[in-house]
Amino acid sequence: FEELGIPVGHNVNSLLYEYAPQIMSAIRARGDEFVAHGRTNAENLRGMWQADEQRIIQEVVDTFIKHEGVAPKGWMGAGAYETSFTPDLLKEAGFQYLMDWPMDDQPIWINTRSGPILSIPYPIELNDSQVIIHRKQDATDFCDMIVDQFDEMIEQCIAHPLVMNISIHPYVFGQPFRLRNLRLALKHCLDHPNIDRVWVTKPCDISDYCYSLPPGIIPGSY
């Protein structure tokens, strides 16, 4: 990402501040985005009582504020697990957006009991963990998916704006034998003759832009 000048949003557990603070320092040094990803992937919100879930979400927010001085704007649940209260609690905790709902390639508004919260697309298909770890496909398959997805969406985006989010896990594509193909796929995207149609950015920037639009532009109600 540094080589190609790509800004990144990192889904990070708040316990990384305790167990691997050097990772958080590297993210901060790049000016990348911290996306709250719960306390740890060993814990998810499914089946929790509302009060317990609220306490965990607030603990995560407080931890980021303690170390970064500001709360994270976005939330991606561990495993994308939620309860029926999660969007309500995230909105009430001050989050602008969540990424647990992979049902569209456009941002949409989700209603909560305290007002709307933005859903930003998170990929299940264009996700190296799903493709390589769970489906046992090859790294080249995943990189071909990136190229094909980009080439199709850069044509479709003429009619309406789309979000192409790619999920990369360091323990998957951090392996050198996989990294070369990923670099080539990303270069293909960045060198595309119609790259002027593309905004290479972070989820928080997409969120800020959507909140700045007049009501009715983004699907849903706001």
Side-chain angles (χ1 to χ4, degrees):
F1 298 132
E2 191 69 20
E3 175 185 343
L4 299 177
I6 298 176
V8 183
H10 301 262
N11 295 337
V12 286
N13 307 127
S14 61
L15 280 173
L16 278 171
Y17 284 111
E18 181 177 345
Y19 290 100
Q22 71 275 16
I23 294 176
M24 310 304 260
S25 296
I27 294 171
R28 189 183 309 113
R30 281 203 87 224
D32 284 341
E33 179 185 1
F34 294 91
V35 181
H37 197 39
R39 295 190 297 192
T40 167
N41 275 30
E43 168 188 76
N44 66 67
L45 304 177
R46 184 172 57 180
M48 285 192 177
W49 293 103
Q50 183 177 177
D52 294 330
E53 181 180 4
Q54 184 180 33
R55 187 182 71 252
I56 287 173
I57 291 172
Q58 191 59 53
E59 179 184 321
V60 171
V61 171
D62 291 344
T63 301
F64 278 99
I65 291 175
K66 175 183 176 181
H67 292 275
E68 303 303 325
V70 294
K73 294 182 178 181
W75 174 276
M76 171 69 196
Y81 288 118
E82 287 192 351
T83 72
S84 58
F85 300 107
T86 304
D88 299 318
L89 296 174
L90 292 174
K91 177 70 176 182
E92 290 160 7
F95 283 94
Q96 287 188 7
Y97 72 88
L98 75 167
M99 304 177 78
D100 294 342
W101 293 78
M103 74 291 208
D104 206 308
D105 291 323
Q106 300 179 83
I108 67 168
W109 298 111
I110 293 180
N111 290 327
T112 78
R113 64 193 180 196
S114 300
I117 189 170
L118 189 69
S119 173
I120 291 182
Y122 179 83
I124 295 300
E125 295 295 325
L126 212 60
N127 184 316
D128 62 355
S129 179
Q130 294 290 332
V131 173
I132 293 173
I133 302 303
H134 296 289
R135 299 178 189 170
K136 312 299 183 186
Q137 292 179 254
D138 192 79
T140 56
D141 294 332
F142 180 75
C143 294
D144 287 344
M145 289 168 61
I146 293 176
V147 170
D148 291 342
Q149 181 101 338
F150 184 88
D151 287 350
E152 178 64 24
M153 293 183 78
I154 203 169
E155 296 179 7
Q156 290 189 17
C157 75
I158 297 174
H160 46 257
L162 300 169
V163 173
M164 178 178 166
N165 196 344
I166 305 171
S167 178
I168 301 293
H169 294 75
Y171 72 90
V172 180
F173 266 93
Q175 303 296 329
F177 68 91
R178 294 191 181 111
L179 187 59
R180 299 190 70 80
N181 284 323
L182 176 63
R183 185 184 293 109
L184 290 174
L186 295 176
K187 282 184 175 180
H188 168 87
C189 300
L190 295 173
D191 292 339
H192 195 281
N194 293 320
I195 189 63
D196 59 315
R197 299 176 185 169
V198 179
W199 182 21
V200 182
T201 192
K202 299 170 287 188
C204 62
D205 299 324
I206 296 173
S207 176
D208 288 344
Y209 178 73
C210 289
Y211 275 90
S212 74
L213 294 173
I217 300 295
I218 302 295
S221 57
Y222 181 68

